[in-house]
Amino acid sequence: MEDLIRLVPLIPMVPLLTFALIAIYVRRYHKLSSYLAVAAIFVAWALSMVIVFSAVARMPHFAEEPAVHLTLLSIPTGGTTLDIGVQIDPLTVALLFMVPTVCLMIFIYSTGYMKGDPRYSRFFAYICLFTTGMLGLVVADNLLLLFICWEVMGLCSYLLIGFWYEKPSAMWAGLKAFITTRIGDVLLMLGMVLLYTQTGALRFETVFTGVEHLAETNPTLMYVIALLVFGGAVGKSAQFPLHVWLPDAMEGPTPVSALIHAATMVAAGVFLVARMFPIFAVLEGMPALTWVAAIGAITAFFASTIAIAQDDIKRVLAYSTISQLGYMIMALGIGGFVAAVFHLITHAFFKALLFLGSGSVIHGVNTNDMMEMGGLRKKMPYTFWTFLIGMLALAGVPPLAGFWSKDEILAVAFDRNLVVWVMGTLAALITAFYMTRQVFLTFMGEPRNKEIHAHESPPSMYVPLIILAIGAVLVGLLGVPAEVPVLGPLLGNNPFHHFLAAQFSQWQYVHLPHVGFNPAVMLISIAMAGAGIGLGYLVYGRKPLQAGQPDPLMRLGAVWTLLRNKYYIDEIYRATVIRGTIGLAGVLFRFDQGIIDAIVNLIGKLTERWSYVSRLFDTYVIDGIVNGVGRVTSAVGEELRFIQTGRVQNYMVIVVISVVLLMGVFLYL
């Protein structure tokens, strides 16, 4: 891959230059802005595919060889240098297959969805910068460049979530996302600083070599570093308890939701844990990975239950995203590195499909409320069939992509941690149920609002849906277990696993579990998907809701209220963190006014008084002495003038008198 490494910096550079071009020169020309943005992401996609297919063609040697690096900048740091560059390794290649492909579909979709928006050009400039951040993060070979790109995405999330900032809800949602994710960013930065002080480097390979010694000499510090790095992922990938920003991110345009929830923002947190997997694996036997698995499992189950009681079509998908991210983090926590990355890629395709499909629905009916929809199956056929494929993939129906990746996670969980497996299996059941509920409320039955006149979206919107639907069907076939009869050998005996499993082969302390095909786990997974879909049909499909009819789940009473209000997590934050922060700010304000300002004012008054005294002293003492010396000197000079007569005899008399006086002085002293 040495011959292709020079192409890698161009992948994030092309959309970055396009962002600058649109922002500075062509923002007035809306169509040109969109054409440039689509062209830029297409070029980035084409370059990425060159890397991907070259890596696949060089298998199995590519996966077994060390990463290929290209140093872009060397910063002197005393006796060493800090190298910043890019790399190609199996994890990079896997993400280069997913990120540009999904982004390209979202860019094309956006040309139709954002048509007529007064800030059309600004939108395409922002998403170009957003994509730059994610692509730069994927190809970075060091933590510094990764963190820079990480922060670029944080900025873009604020700008895009609050894109329609004239709406107070959008403005506050952008601010909430920015502040909440900053908590994780600070933790990540602290982890980076500690890693640098202990290993003297930020390049991944050097860090991974150094942490083995650190784990032996100071395991407690290594444990703290691992948790700090994980804290960054908790914020960015919206894991409990920092998940609260992600549902509110739905205030942004739907293409932004697809970018954040599928290809970029939240994927970055999972990618971070995957990229830094050795610093967790080196602590095997300590609870670092246990914490990762616990947070992931709790998030997967917790968010799936909330999705049951939401009526906003995008918020259902938002909580679904949180749940699926929990699956990925859970898999990493139990050592399922390959399973987590596999699910990250498959999820990107079907979740982008679902979000863009929901945007197509909103574009057609002009509302987000599923309780006002219904009967859209015939009016929006492209949207319906593609959305149905995405729903089945997310629910885990074979042979769609979500089934294979989710089943691999559950197989690893069954082998490594039964509690995690139970929570993941229950989350799968609930996922199938709420996605069936969403399909029936949106597309089936009769329209519940007769004033809504739905229409199919333009080709620029439904063609990307078709392409993503194809991906949601086929991508999962790359990871079919080798032991699956007929299908496994036919598809290459799980080529994705062979491609990615050698990622950390050079570090002996990284042990990836080898979990074979488990028919029982697979059958249970299929049964959970079928049970969830069947239960959804019984509640919402057998007798579709009519206009004005309440949701059948309202019969759950207090449970429904709890889920509807998202376990009151936002209210708890408002009552504790936010109110506490505001209260502390008030106390500090009063302290500043009553104590700090009083001290400053007192010092000012004392200084003023001292300056008055100093002025008197200066005027009457210092100036008096100086002026007195001047006057005395002047007076003496006036008197001594008279001895200057010009007569030599007078001078001789003075000399004689002076000599006599000096002799007298010497004699008597």
Side-chain angles (χ1 to χ4, degrees):
M1 299 296 288
E2 290 83 358
D3 53 332
L4 296 176
I5 187 66
R6 295 190 180 278
L7 295 178
V8 174
L10 298 177
I11 296 173
M13 191 65 65
V14 172
L16 177 62
L17 294 176
T18 305
F19 157 74
L21 186 63
I22 294 173
I24 297 173
Y25 294 109
V26 299
R27 61 183 181 274
R28 293 173 295 174
Y29 309 105
H30 287 186
K31 284 190 176 182
L32 181 58
S33 298
S34 63
Y35 293 158
L36 287 173
V38 173
I41 192 62
F42 178 79
V43 171
W45 173 82
L47 292 172
S48 300
M49 291 305 106
V50 170
I51 303 296
V52 170
F53 287 116
S54 297
V56 171
R58 302 184 189 195
M59 284 292 293
H61 303 292
F62 169 75
E64 298 169 354
E65 295 172 353
V68 180
H69 294 270
L70 175 64
T71 300
L72 303 176
L73 179 66
S74 293
I75 303 174
T77 55
T80 61
T81 59
L82 184 61
D83 294 329
I84 298 176
V86 297
Q87 70 177 27
I88 302 176
D89 66 355
L91 183 59
T92 301
V93 171
L95 270 292
L96 284 179
F97 167 72
M98 180 270 286
V99 174
T101 304
V102 176
C103 286
L104 177 60
M105 296 301 103
I106 295 172
F107 275 51
I108 296 171
Y109 178 94
S110 300
T111 61
Y113 188 88
M114 297 300 294
K115 187 176 181 180
D117 192 284
R119 293 189 287 272
Y120 190 80
S121 296
R122 180 184 297 185
F123 175 83
F124 281 97
Y126 286 167
I127 61 173
C128 281
L129 185 60
F130 203 173
T131 305
T132 297
M134 185 62 190
L135 291 173
L137 180 142
V138 167
V139 301
D141 75 340
N142 63 94
L143 275 166
L144 181 58
L145 181 57
L146 181 147
F147 188 73
I148 292 170
C149 296
W150 183 276
E151 290 299 297
V152 167
M153 285 194 293
L155 169 65
C156 291
S157 69
Y158 168 73
L159 296 173
L160 287 166
I161 292 170
F163 185 75
W164 290 320
Y165 52 80
E166 58 274 6
K167 293 169 52 182
S169 57
M171 181 270 292
W172 284 113
L175 188 62
K176 184 177 182 179
F178 189 79
I179 293 174
T180 306
T181 55
R182 290 290 76 73
I183 297 171
D185 297 352
V186 170
L187 297 177
L188 173 59
M189 185 175 67
L190 292 174
M192 287 173 50
V193 171
L194 287 175
L195 272 177
Y196 183 71
T197 58
Q198 297 300 314
T199 64
L202 290 176
R203 176 176 277 186
F204 299 126
E205 290 184 354
T206 310
V207 168
F208 297 159
T209 302
V211 294
E212 185 174 13
H213 175 70
L214 178 61
E216 294 174 356
T217 57
N218 196 341
T220 302
L221 180 60
M222 189 65 245
Y223 177 60
V224 171
I225 291 173
L227 291 183
L228 287 172
V229 173
F230 178 57
V234 169
K236 197 69 95 182
S237 285
Q239 297 296 284
F240 178 84
L242 298 181
H243 66 283
V244 292
W245 67 270
L246 195 58
D248 290 349
M250 298 302 96
E251 293 292 340
T254 297
V256 173
S257 302
L259 269 177
I260 290 176
H261 291 253
T264 56
M265 183 84 166
V266 295
V270 177
F271 175 80
L272 172 68
V273 180
R275 174 59 79 193
M276 302 299 292
F277 189 75
I279 76 168
F280 298 94
V282 76
L283 292 167
E284 190 170 5
M286 294 187 70
L289 279 175
T290 303
W291 275 109
V292 175
I295 293 295
I298 291 169
T299 303
F301 179 77
F302 164 85
S304 65
T305 59
I306 297 177
I308 293 173
Q310 304 305 308
D311 292 339
D312 186 308
I313 187 172
K314 289 171 63 178
R315 282 184 179 267
V316 173
L317 297 176
Y319 282 105
S320 169
T321 299
I322 297 172
S323 178
Q324 296 305 305
L325 292 168
Y327 258 99
M328 301 170 206
I329 294 294
M330 177 182 80
L332 290 166
I334 55 178
F337 170 80
V338 177
V341 177
F342 185 32
H343 195 54
L344 175 64
I345 292 172
T346 61
H347 173 264
F349 281 90
F350 59 73
K351 188 52 63 70
L353 169 61
L354 289 169
F355 266 109
L356 297 185
S358 70
S360 179
V361 169
I362 295 168
H363 183 270
V365 301
N366 200 31
T367 180
N368 289 34
D369 190 354
M370 295 188 299
M371 301 305 289
E372 294 188 9
M373 298 178 190
L376 299 180
R377 178 173 60 90
K378 295 179 180 179
K379 297 179 179 180
M380 306 182 69
Y382 292 113
T383 301
F384 166 69
W385 287 109
T386 55
F387 195 95
L388 182 63
I389 291 172
M391 169 262 169
L392 294 173
L394 175 56
V397 174
L400 304 180
F403 166 75
W404 300 111
S405 57
K406 188 181 293 186
D407 180 73
E408 186 169 351
I409 291 175
L410 293 176
V412 176
F414 185 82
D415 182 72
R416 306 276 287 192
N417 191 315
L418 284 178
V419 175
V420 170
W421 175 75
V422 169
M423 294 187 71
T425 303
L426 290 175
L429 170 66
I430 298 170
T431 298
F433 172 75
Y434 70 68
M435 288 307 301
T436 305
R437 171 181 181 267
Q438 185 176 49
V439 168
F440 278 109
L441 287 178
T442 304
F443 294 100
M444 302 303 182
E446 298 297 327
R448 287 180 290 279
N449 187 339
K450 302 299 181 181
E451 297 180 1
I452 292 178
H453 302 286
H455 58 86
E456 184 60 273
S457 300
S460 61
M461 294 175 64
Y462 70 69
V463 170
L465 297 181
I466 295 172
I467 296 173
L468 288 171
I470 294 171
V473 173
L474 298 179
V475 169
L477 299 179
L478 297 173
V480 175
E483 298 85 353
V484 173
V486 182
L487 198 57
L490 181 65
L491 295 172
N493 295 319
N494 200 341
F496 187 83
H497 181 85
H498 294 304
F499 181 76
L500 209 61
Q503 174 76 34
F504 303 114
S505 58
Q506 56 187 304
W507 293 285
Q508 299 300 318
Y509 59 85
V510 180
H511 305 290
L512 299 180
H514 178 71
V515 179
F517 173 60
N518 191 324
V521 172
M522 178 175 285
L523 290 174
I524 293 173
S525 177
I526 296 172
M528 290 298 103
I533 294 172
L535 183 60
Y537 171 77
L538 291 176
V539 177
Y540 294 97
R542 189 174 54 175
K543 293 182 179 180
L545 262 64
Q546 303 298 317
Q549 185 178 351
D551 193 305
L553 292 184
M554 291 181 68
R555 298 170 187 169
L556 296 175
V559 175
W560 168 265
T561 303
L562 182 66
L563 299 179
R564 184 79 166 179
N565 290 281
K566 302 159 287 189
Y567 293 95
Y568 297 97
I569 299 295
D570 284 293
E571 288 76 9
I572 292 171
Y573 276 138
R574 278 195 290 270
T576 55
V577 177
I578 297 176
R579 182 174 293 180
T581 302
I582 294 173
L584 179 61
V587 171
L588 294 176
F589 175 74
R590 289 189 290 273
F591 179 80
D592 181 69
Q593 279 194 322
I595 306 297
I596 303 299
D597 285 357
I599 294 173
V600 171
N601 294 335
L602 177 62
I603 292 173
K605 290 179 180 179
L606 292 174
T607 303
E608 183 181 5
R609 295 295 179 85
W610 174 251
S611 68
Y612 177 73
V613 173
S614 299
R615 188 165 64 251
L616 293 177
F617 182 80
D618 182 71
T619 301
Y620 295 104
V621 179
I622 304 300
D623 287 354
I625 293 173
V626 173
N627 294 335
V629 171
R631 284 194 290 269
V632 170
T633 302
S634 178
V636 172
E638 287 290 334
E639 296 300 324
L640 292 177
R641 283 172 52 196
F642 296 106
I643 67 176
Q644 299 295 326
T645 61
R647 296 176 181 177
V648 175
Q649 56 271 31
N650 291 344
Y651 297 153
M652 290 299 298
V653 172
I654 293 171
V655 169
V656 171
I657 293 172
S658 300
V659 170
V660 171
L661 291 173
L662 289 172
M663 290 177 63
V665 170
F666 282 116
L667 287 174
Y668 286 100
L669 288 178

